[in-house]
Amino acid sequence: MDIMYKPVIDSAVKKLYERYPELLERFGEIGMQKCYEDNVHHFNYLNTTAAAGDEKIFVDYALWLNNVLISRGMKSDHLIDNFQCIVEALEESDIEEAGRFQVYLNAGITAIRENDLASQLRS
């Protein structure tokens, strides 16, 4: 993982925990570290997507991850909010790929919402 993304990931995790202080109460510092590690994975997929130039790579990852999280009792909103915090952190950064990464993150958010809506309509 490139060290240049650390400030963005730190900022995204901080934003998420400011919005949801109950996360710190519920999961403690270990949970915050796990959140950081999860964001490292998100950036690995963002890098892979950028290298391939194919937004579908990140969208497929976002949908897969959302299904995994739902199966573990989480809600789609958790992942969407995390992605949104990354988008905001990227806005405040000077990372060259920020704009591209934001496009991929927003595509992932849209795909998760559309998938959730389709699931609700099938129910």
Side-chain angles (χ1 to χ4, degrees), residues 72 86 115:
R72 295 182 180 162
I86 297 170
N115 189 56

Side-chain angles (χ1 to χ4, degrees), residues 5 7 13 20 24 29 31 34 36 38 42 45 50 58 61-62 68 81-82 84-85 87-88 99-100 106 112 119 123:
Y5 300 127
V13 171
Y20 300 98
L24 189 57
E29 291 294 326
K34 180 72 175 126
Y36 181 92
D38 290 345
H42 302 334
Y45 272 90
F58 191 80
Y61 164 71
V68 169
D81 290 344
N82 190 12
Q84 188 59 46
C85 287
V87 167
E88 292 170 18
R100 252 187 310 176
N106 284 319
I112 292 167
S119 295
S123 301

Side-chain angles (χ1 to χ4, degrees), residues 63-83:
L63 291 171
W64 168 81
L65 180 58
N66 191 53
N67 287 333
V68 169
L69 294 174
I70 287 172
S71 75
R72 295 182 180 162
M74 304 276 295
K75 292 184 168 49
S76 296
D77 290 344
H78 294 123
L79 184 56
I80 289 170
D81 290 344
N82 190 12
F83 284 176

Side-chain angles (χ1 to χ4, degrees), residues 5 7-9 11-12 15 19 43 46 82-103 105-106 109:
Y5 300 127
V8 178
I9 295 171
S11 175
K15 288 174 184 297
R19 290 177 193 168
F43 272 85
L46 289 168
N82 190 12
F83 284 176
Q84 188 59 46
C85 287
I86 297 170
V87 167
E88 292 170 18
L90 284 165
E91 284 173 7
E92 300 160 1
S93 78
D94 58 357
I95 291 176
E96 185 179 325
E97 305 92 342
R100 252 187 310 176
F101 286 1
Q102 288 172 311
V103 168
L105 287 156
N106 284 319
I109 289 168

